[in-house]
């Protein structure tokens, strides 16, 4: 009998015993292709010798030093490299242990920024429906996925949610993609006006929506309009790149492809590639200066922020990403998209195949012509996950794609090191799962 408290008490899981490149091998010897990188985490696969050696070297020197007393070389070097490559005016890095922590830090920094400036009424956050920003209470409140929020809603800060930029479901037949993007972006302007700009501190969004909607990219011009609206009202733009950042969508930072830079940006997952738990919040020099010129103290913190071993691992990962590995994402992503299109482009139960780079989603529908989703009671996403796993493919199916209740999708986020033959392996094993379920 296990004493581990699992994610699901009814599940009996195999024991992961070892990793080999893009594969995880369980205790029985069965190999699984990690087609989702866990949850878009394992961008370098599971056996990168350089990263594991960097961890060993750091532990030999010092494993942990509390940031209330010390800084460390790995943290300083990693921060320098991140800012060297970061877009816009991002200038400071606050290291944490994961994506939810990064988002909590971002929300608290946004509030303190306005307090330091004397704009004390600014406290409201606006985000988008069907977004996901983490599972701690502040991050969960900011996210717009009803299924995740509902049990804990009495505990949450009040957040407004506007429409997502979800072209497959939201664009009308009488409008261009650009016009659609402007229309849904302008909902932000309307919501700020309704709340009063003096009460709003931030708008939060994922550049490419991940877990809750399945790799939904924005249309051209959407985020430029969002940036204009934030600037018009003096609102901070917080971009959540926890899942879609660190090269996952084809550029090191996902927002680069939309020609915008945020005031605060959050990363995690691919930053440590699964070798150590780490995340980071990046902010502009203006925000940092407001704290430095004011109280001088960011009223936040966790025990393991800036953990030297985690930073050493992430430093090794980041050097690999910028040393050429991330350059593989765009061409391999195009190959994956083409292969998915060939295999499932005319499938009666695949309504949309979308995404950027090695971040791809397939939206599952009951009727391709009408886009009608399956009845949630059928549990299509769960059945697909089980069938794919049995076939030796780890993927990331989810339900509630459309509104938190209805809709199903599969998210793919394979390691950046995958080869051409493994693209075929993904589509082949997905096809096996589709045949089993449908």
């Amino acid at each position: 009998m296990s004493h581990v408290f699992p994610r699901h008490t009814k599940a009996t899981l195999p024991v992961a015993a070892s990793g080999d490149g893009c594969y995880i091998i369980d205790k029985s010897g069965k190999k699984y292709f990690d087609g989702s990188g866990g949850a878009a985490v394992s961008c370098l696969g599971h056996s990168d010798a350089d990263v594991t050696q960097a961890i060993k070297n750091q532990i030999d020197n010092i494993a942990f030093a509390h940031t209330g007393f010390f800084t460390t070389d790995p943290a300083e070097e990693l921060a320098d490299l991140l800012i060297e490559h970061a877009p816009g005016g991002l200038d400071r890095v606050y290291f944490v242990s994961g994506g939810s922590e990064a988002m909590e830090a971002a929300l608290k920094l946004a509030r303190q920024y306005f307090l330091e400036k004397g704009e004390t009424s600014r406290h409201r956050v606006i985000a988008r429906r069907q977004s996901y920003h983490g599972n701690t209470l502040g991050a969960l409140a900011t996210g717009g996925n009803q299924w995740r929020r509902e049990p804990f809603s009495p505990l949450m800060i009040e957040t407004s949610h506007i429409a997502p930029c979800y072209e497959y479901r939201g664009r009308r037949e009488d409008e261009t993609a650009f016009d659609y993007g402007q229309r849904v972006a302008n909902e932000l302007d309307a919501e700020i006006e309704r709340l009063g700009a003096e009460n709003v501190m931030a708008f939060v969004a994922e550049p490419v929506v991940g877990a809750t909607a399945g790799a939904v990219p924005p249309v051209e011009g959407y985020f430029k309009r969002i940036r204009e609206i934030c600037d018009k009202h003096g609102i901070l733009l917080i971009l959540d790149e926890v899942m879609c950042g660190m090269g996952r969508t084809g550029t090191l930072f996902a927002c680069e492809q939309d020609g915008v830079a945020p005031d605060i940006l959050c990363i995690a997952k691919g930053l440590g590639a699964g070798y150590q738990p780490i995340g980071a919040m990046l902010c502009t020099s203006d925000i940092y200066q407001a704290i430095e010129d004011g109280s001088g103290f960011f009223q936040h913190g966790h025990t393991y922020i800036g953990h030297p071993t985690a930073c050493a691992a992430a430093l090794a990962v980041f050097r690999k990403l910028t040393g050429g590995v991330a350059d593989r994402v765009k061409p391999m992503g195009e190959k994956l998209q083409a292969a998915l299109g060939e295999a499932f482009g005319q499938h009666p139960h695949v309504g949309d195949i979308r995404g950027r780079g090695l971040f791809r989603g397939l939206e599952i529908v009951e009727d391709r012509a009408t886009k009608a989703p399956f009845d949630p009671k059928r549990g299509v996403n769960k059945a697909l996950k089980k069938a794919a796993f049995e076939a030796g493919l780890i993927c990331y199916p989810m339900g509630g794609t459309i509104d938190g209740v209805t809709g199903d999708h599969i998210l793919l986020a394979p390691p950046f090191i995958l080869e051409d033959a493994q693209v075929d392996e993904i589509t082949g094993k997905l096809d096996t799962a589709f045949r089993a379920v449908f």
Side-chain angles (χ1 to χ4, degrees), residues 252-272:
L252 199 58
F253 294 91
C255 62
E256 295 176 65
Q257 296 174 60
D258 296 291
V260 298
D263 302 293
I264 299 175
L265 184 142
C266 295
I267 53 175
K269 295 187 185 292
L271 176 62

Side-chain angles (χ1 to χ4, degrees), residues 133-147:
H133 299 296
N135 248 338
T136 50
L137 284 173
L140 189 61
T142 304
N145 182 261
Q146 290 305 312
W147 174 79

Side-chain angles (χ1 to χ4, degrees), residues 145 175 291 323:
N145 182 261
E175 64 185 348
I291 306 297

Side-chain angles (χ1 to χ4, degrees), residues 376-400:
K377 292 177 183 176
R378 183 166 172 180
V380 167
N381 64 88
K382 295 175 183 176
L384 285 169
K385 181 179 180 179
K386 181 181 178 182
F389 197 67
E390 288 174 352
L393 174 67
I394 301 169
C395 58
Y396 198 155
M398 285 292 295

Side-chain angles (χ1 to χ4, degrees), residues 145-403:
N145 182 261
Q146 290 305 312
W147 174 79
R148 287 173 169 85
R149 291 167 50 89
E150 189 174 7
F152 309 103
S153 56
L155 308 177
M156 291 181 185
I157 59 171
E158 189 176 8
T159 307
S160 298
H161 292 97
I162 62 172
C165 187
Y166 184 2
E167 184 182 8
Y168 175 68
R169 291 283 173 186
R171 181 163 71 92
R172 300 191 304 252
E173 290 185 6
D174 64 345
E175 64 185 348
T176 65
F178 179 83
D179 289 341
Y180 162 67
Q182 299 300 292
R183 172 168 64 84
V184 291
N186 284 331
E187 288 192 23
L188 175 60
D189 197 42
E191 182 61 12
I192 292 171
E193 294 285 359
R194 186 184 75 82
L195 295 171
E198 71 280 4
N199 298 315
V200 181
M201 69 178 188
F203 175 67
V204 181
E206 300 161 90
V208 181
V209 182
T212 54
V216 176
V219 297
E220 184 181 355
Y222 170 80
F223 271 109
K224 286 187 177 180
R225 178 61 184 142
I226 290 291
R227 178 75 267 184
E228 289 173 359
I229 294 167
C230 289
D231 291 342
K232 169 185 170 185
H233 295 287
I235 309 300
L236 297 180
L237 175 59
I238 300 175
L239 292 183
D240 175 356
E241 296 201 5
V242 167
M243 190 172 253
C244 64
M246 292 293 94
R248 173 58 62 187
T249 62
T251 48
L252 199 58
F253 294 91
C255 62
E256 295 176 65
Q257 296 174 60
D258 296 291
V260 298
D263 302 293
I264 299 175
L265 184 142
C266 295
I267 53 175
K269 295 187 185 292
L271 176 62
Y275 288 87
Q276 288 282 284
I278 190 168
M281 175 197 69
L282 286 65
C283 73
T284 63
S285 56
D286 287 345
I287 293 174
Y288 180 82
Q289 204 64 44
I291 306 297
E292 186 173 31
D293 292 345
S295 66
F297 173 66
F298 178 29
Q299 196 171 329
H300 184 58
H302 297 281
T303 299
Y304 289 123
I305 63 174
H307 193 286
T309 307
C311 287
L315 182 59
V317 170
F318 196 79
R319 284 173 173 156
K320 287 223 151 184
L321 294 179
T322 55
V325 175
D327 294 338
R328 304 183 81 252
V329 173
K330 189 171 185 292
M332 292 306 294
E334 290 169 355
K335 289 179 180 180
L336 178 58
Q337 179 73 12
L340 291 170
E342 184 177 348
F344 305 109
Q346 300 304 314
H347 194 286
H349 297 305
V350 176
D352 192 28
I353 303 172
R354 56 186 176 239
R356 291 178 178 172
L358 287 172
F359 201 46
R360 300 286 167 175
L362 296 84
E363 184 157 341
I364 310 302
V365 293
E366 184 171 28
D367 188 304
R368 182 182 168 85
T370 65
K371 304 181 183 179
F374 281 97
D375 186 333
K377 292 177 183 176
R378 183 166 172 180
V380 167
N381 64 88
K382 295 175 183 176
L384 285 169
K385 181 179 180 179
K386 181 181 178 182
F389 197 67
E390 288 174 352
L393 174 67
I394 301 169
C395 58
Y396 198 155
M398 285 292 295
T401 309
I402 300 169
D403 56 10

